[in-house]
Amino acid sequence: MKRLVSIAAVAVAAGVLLVGSAVAQEKKQLAFVVNASSDFWKLAEAGVKKAQAELPNYELQFRYPAQGTAALQNALMDDLVAAGTDAIMISSADPKNSIDAFNRIAAQVPLFTTDSDAPASNRLAYLGSSNTAAGVQAGEEMVKALAGKPGKCMGFVGFLGADNAVERIAGFRQAIEGKGIELVDVRGDDVDFTKARTNVDDVLVANPEINCMVGFYSYNPPKIYEALQAAGKLGAITVVAFDEDPVTLGAVKEGSFAATIVQQPFEWGYQGMKLMAAYLEGDKSGIPENKLIIVPTAVINKDNVDAFSADLKAKISGS
């Protein structure tokens, strides 16, 4: 009798475990994959966390590749699909050389892009900034900051071939055209922070004619700041930045940088997860005909940097 009771108890317990496992497996899996490890993505991760609180029937993942290469990104997506992930949003490190990989993923699960688009692929939609418009804003800020003085600018960026870099640079050139300002060159670093700093140091030594700089990726402006500070040239070279690294915001606040163009990665994470969940539930109304969901960028300068910093802090802390 005791043995029968024990067997029954085990059976009930096993049944509970199976039901619990089934419930867990019923949760659909959504993944947000970034292009490289950078503090910039903390805001997007905070947005994903907010979305998780509103999507209890989903399990949300925020994933960094081991290194910022297309090969490792694509391998990570393959692993996610193999593990049962139901939809993926990705910032592509190298869109032009990832089309086949993206199409392979898109044939298996809904695929969306953010930050750096891959429009030639079968991704369903892009949610993020208009990088061209952001580049134009940066150029306009440079024109204002130089106030009629001629400018010879050097740009710094991570992936020279990524769509977000190409479009920002093109937008910047568009805004400075005919204004007596030249973007002499743009140095890439492949998201190698040491190289990013070295690039600036090298320009300061080899190109004394440079009187303005643009940091096109989030970590480039802090490296510009470090190099200028070490060379005693803070304030002597006009700098326009991108994104909201604390060093960048501090430089804007103290007047060492003219301005920074900020995106809304928090919204990419939040809206992106909500968009994918809705799509999996059959609601495709969030995808416009042109497949572009643009989250506006903004100019941050000395006038609004404190208010922006306070809002940023609140979002990251979840308050």
Side-chain angles (χ1 to χ4, degrees):
M1 181 67 177
K2 286 183 179 179
R3 178 174 174 77
L4 289 174
V5 170
S6 297
I7 292 172
V10 169
V12 169
V16 170
L17 286 173
L18 288 171
V19 169
S21 176
V23 169
Q25 290 175 358
E26 284 175 7
K27 287 192 175 185
K28 291 188 181 296
Q29 315 282 317
L30 307 179
F32 192 110
V33 178
V34 305
N35 55 9
S37 180
S38 169
D39 285 348
F40 169 78
W41 290 111
K42 287 181 180 178
L43 273 168
E45 192 167 3
V48 169
K49 184 177 179 181
K50 180 183 177 183
Q52 179 67 85
E54 299 177 16
L55 296 170
N57 296 325
Y58 291 82
E59 183 177 323
L60 277 48
Q61 302 181 58
F62 196 90
R63 302 294 297 273
Y64 293 85
Q67 290 179 306
T69 68
L72 288 175
Q73 271 195 315
N74 298 337
L76 175 54
M77 286 198 295
D78 284 331
D79 290 344
L80 286 167
V81 172
T85 301
D86 296 282
I88 296 172
M89 177 166 281
I90 184 169
S91 170
S92 178
D94 187 358
K96 292 178 177 59
N97 293 313
S98 301
I99 302 304
D100 290 343
F102 275 36
N103 288 345
R104 181 180 69 250
I105 298 298
Q108 301 174 78
V109 299
L111 178 66
F112 297 79
T113 54
T114 187
D115 181 45
S116 181
D117 196 9
S121 73
N122 294 330
R123 58 91 170 116
L124 289 169
Y126 166 79
L127 186 153
S129 304
S130 166
N131 286 294
T132 301
V136 169
Q137 285 178 310
E140 290 172 345
E141 290 306 304
M142 186 63 78
V143 171
K144 288 180 190 175
L146 288 173
K149 294 185 296 185
K152 285 190 175 294
C153 299
M154 186 66 73
F156 303 93
V157 75
F159 301 116
L160 282 165
D163 279 15
N164 59 354
V166 172
E167 292 169 5
R168 289 176 195 181
I169 294 164
F172 185 86
R173 290 188 190 277
Q174 177 186 326
I176 64 174
E177 186 175 0
K179 302 295 195 302
I181 303 170
E182 176 188 3
L183 183 60
V184 176
D185 196 9
V186 181
R187 306 289 170 85
D189 54 56
D190 297 321
V191 195
D192 179 332
F193 293 175
T194 300
K195 186 177 179 182
R197 167 64 190 271
T198 301
N199 281 347
V200 187
D201 290 332
D202 289 348
V203 166
L204 290 174
V205 172
N207 302 85
E209 75 281 7
I210 294 299
N211 64 344
C212 49
M213 293 181 173
V214 192
F216 286 104
Y217 273 15
S218 63
Y219 60 86
N220 292 122
K223 296 305 176 186
I224 292 172
Y225 186 90
E226 289 174 13
L228 293 181
Q229 187 177 49
K233 293 187 176 181
L234 275 177
I237 292 179
T238 303
V239 180
V240 172
F242 272 78
D243 301 318
E244 55 284 297
D245 186 277
V247 172
T248 300
L249 295 177
V252 171
K253 183 179 176 66
E254 72 185 25
S256 298
F257 287 3
T260 187
I261 311 304
V262 298
Q263 305 177 87
Q264 297 192 61
F266 180 92
E267 294 300 329
W268 305 347
Y270 176 69
Q271 293 184 31
M273 296 298 103
K274 300 293 287 283
L275 176 70
M276 289 197 292
Y279 185 89
L280 289 175
E281 291 166 13
D283 180 3
K284 302 178 182 180
S285 63
I287 301 177
E289 188 175 345
N290 67 0
K291 299 183 179 180
L292 299 175
I293 304 164
I294 301 302
V295 182
T297 52
V299 175
I300 303 302
N301 53 33
K302 286 189 76 171
D303 294 335
N304 60 2
V305 66
D306 286 338
F308 175 78
S309 297
D311 179 63
L312 200 65
K313 185 177 180 181
K315 284 178 175 173
I316 291 175
S317 67
S319 59

